[in-house]
Amino acid sequence: MSVQMASEEKMLVEMVRDLAREKVAPRAAEIDATGEFPWDMKELLAQQDIFAMPFPEEYGGLGSSELSILMVIEELAKACATTSLLLCVQQLGSLPILLAGTDEQKKRFIPRLATGEWLAAFALTEPGSGSDAGAMLTRAEKRGDTYVLNGMKHFITNAGVAHINTVFAVTGDKGTRSISAFVVEGDRPGFHMGKVEHKMGIRGSQTGELVFEDCEIPADNLLGKDGEGFKLALATLDRTRPGIAAQALGIAQGALDYATGYVKERKQFGKHIAEFQGLQFMLADMAMKIEAARLMVYSAASRAERGEPALGFISSASKCFASDVAMEVTTDAVQLLGGAGYTNDFPVERMMRDAKITQIYEGTNQIQRVVMARQLLKD
């Protein structure tokens, strides 16, 4: 497919490509090793207006196209998956406000998210409610002009660092039709951080629990109508899953690029190992899968840009396929480096660990296949 972007967006993607190579890549190993949230990378993206990309100009954003956002995520992920996730989650946590928020809510929250002054989080998952949102236990009880939240969210990206949290809670007794969505500011009394997870990959991204104990929030923080939160969550994920696909794509491309350079330099039996046909076939298969994934990811972007109503299939397909490819390609990259690939002296082992989460978060790839099958059967 041909890629159509405005000239200023092409310049932005090229700028991010250089930025990732010069500023992000040198930090990637240290971010992974320390497991500390990369505030310097957050400031870097804010200074370059990268956080402004998903937001309309009227609220201080750039109003960037879906394709350019995905391409920027891809470029950042080639260098550092954790840094690319900053943009992914900023969009994920704030999109419910854009989709269902009032003009007053958008004016209140979006400008500071667009500048990067504030970070966002998306709080749907619970210990007993991962793929099964109907098992959600967090409740929001209406008391006059406020809602009182009680419960806990689990595996939340940006937990404890986000200023704005889109939180889903049960407000009735009708299963998923009683789930509502709220904006919860990080400094609300009764809202605090729970356990911080120690993860295999994307180690610089802070993941943890959000705990609500009689946390009062104004009714004005309700997004959309009471009971429409589950529908809002699905609509959000339909739009943001291609971002995870782009992250997976970038991780895979970064691993291929590194492995290709390595085999051109490494010698065995008196010649560069790139001359061995068996390794050439591995590289060819890796590149072929990446190109197929890229076309699917870019197709998802163009279809979202056109406003197609049924994005569920292509959104799930792009995320599922690209993340499976990322896992395969990074595993092969480790193999191509041999014993060196298994050490943290080289980046491919980190890329392999980072790739794994793309098959899990924003819906496991098994759930993506359920979504795709339902769409096919419905059609």
Side-chain angles (χ1 to χ4, degrees):
M1 60 179 289
S2 60
V3 176
Q4 300 293 332
M5 282 196 304
S7 58
E8 61 270 20
E9 290 193 324
K10 289 181 180 179
M11 291 175 62
L12 178 59
V13 173
E14 291 170 359
M15 180 274 291
V16 172
R17 184 178 298 126
D18 293 337
L19 191 74
R21 186 183 304 115
E22 297 169 7
K23 301 289 187 180
V24 179
R27 280 278 287 127
E30 184 180 9
I31 290 170
D32 178 70
T34 63
E36 296 176 356
F37 186 83
W39 290 105
D40 59 330
M41 294 295 99
K42 177 260 189 188
E43 290 302 320
L44 180 66
L45 299 193
Q47 291 167 6
Q48 300 298 329
D49 278 341
I50 293 171
F51 284 126
M53 295 183 70
F55 302 108
E57 293 181 15
E58 62 187 297
Y59 301 112
L62 294 179
S64 301
S65 68
E66 297 287 340
L67 179 59
S68 64
I69 294 169
L70 297 188
M71 292 180 77
V72 164
I73 292 171
E74 179 186 349
E75 292 298 332
L76 292 171
K78 289 179 187 177
C80 175
T82 292
T83 300
S84 71
L85 192 56
L86 294 172
L87 178 56
C88 292
V89 180
Q90 193 76 337
Q91 184 177 31
L92 173 65
S94 58
L95 188 57
I97 303 173
L98 292 176
L99 292 177
T102 63
D103 188 54
E104 184 277 328
Q105 288 172 330
K106 293 174 184 177
K107 289 178 179 177
R108 184 158 40 118
F109 298 124
I110 297 301
R112 289 185 176 183
L113 293 167
T115 63
E117 178 187 352
W118 284 355
L119 294 177
F122 183 86
L124 178 65
T125 301
E126 298 182 5
S129 172
S131 300
D132 179 14
M136 185 179 297
L137 296 178
T138 298
R139 296 194 65 85
E141 180 183 347
K142 183 76 178 293
R143 298 180 187 174
D145 292 332
T146 65
Y147 281 89
V148 180
L149 269 67
N150 282 283
M152 182 175 72
K153 296 297 179 178
H154 191 53
F155 293 152
I156 306 305
T157 306
N158 277 2
V161 300
H163 302 78
I164 295 298
N165 303 268
T166 299
V167 179
F168 297 84
V170 177
T171 53
D173 56 2
K174 298 179 181 179
T176 56
R177 289 180 296 169
S178 292
I179 294 174
S180 301
F182 303 88
V183 176
V184 181
E185 298 91 336
D187 57 357
R188 286 276 170 193
F191 171 35
H192 63 88
M193 179 76 179
K195 174 187 174 184
V196 175
E197 302 294 343
H198 299 281
K199 307 183 301 296
M200 178 172 72
I202 55 165
R203 287 174 39 78
S205 176
Q206 185 154 298
T207 305
E209 296 173 340
L210 305 182
V211 181
F212 305 95
E213 297 175 327
D214 291 331
C215 175
E216 293 189 12
I217 59 172
D220 288 345
N221 282 24
L222 173 70
L223 291 174
K225 295 180 180 179
D226 192 290
E228 294 188 350
F230 184 64
K231 187 180 358 179
L232 177 59
L234 294 182
T236 298
L237 293 170
D238 279 350
R239 295 292 296 267
T240 59
R241 278 173 177 151
I244 301 304
Q247 181 189 44
L249 178 62
I251 294 170
Q253 186 66 62
L256 174 62
D257 291 346
Y258 195 90
T260 301
Y262 183 88
V263 299
K264 289 163 69 175
E265 296 296 328
R266 171 71 169 167
K267 283 188 175 182
Q268 289 286 278
F269 305 103
K271 57 183 178 181
H272 294 107
I273 62 175
E275 298 179 49
F276 297 127
Q277 189 179 63
L279 302 193
Q280 292 176 358
F281 283 2
M282 286 180 68
L283 290 168
D285 284 342
M286 292 160 73
M288 177 173 59
K289 292 171 185 176
I290 288 172
E291 284 304 316
R294 180 171 287 113
L295 291 175
M296 191 176 290
V297 173
Y298 289 4
S299 174
S302 64
R303 290 165 71 168
E305 199 70 43
R306 292 196 298 269
E308 291 189 9
L311 290 174
F313 179 88
I314 189 61
S315 175
S316 290
S318 65
K319 188 268 188 190
C320 185
F321 187 77
S323 60
D324 282 350
V325 165
M327 199 68 241
E328 293 176 24
V329 167
T330 54
T331 300
D332 283 346
V334 169
Q335 188 71 23
L336 285 168
L337 269 68
Y342 202 66
T343 71
N344 60 14
D345 292 332
F346 297 86
V348 291
E349 65 86 28
R350 182 187 76 243
M351 294 171 175
M352 181 180 176
R353 289 186 284 107
D354 288 342
K356 186 60 195 173
I357 192 59
T358 65
Q359 294 180 304
I360 298 172
Y361 59 13
E362 289 205 29
T364 67
N365 282 5
Q366 287 71 32
I367 287 295
Q368 305 311 320
R369 288 173 169 87
V370 170
V371 172
M372 288 184 278
R374 284 179 178 172
Q375 187 70 56
L376 289 170
L377 295 172
K378 179 181 177 181
D379 291 343

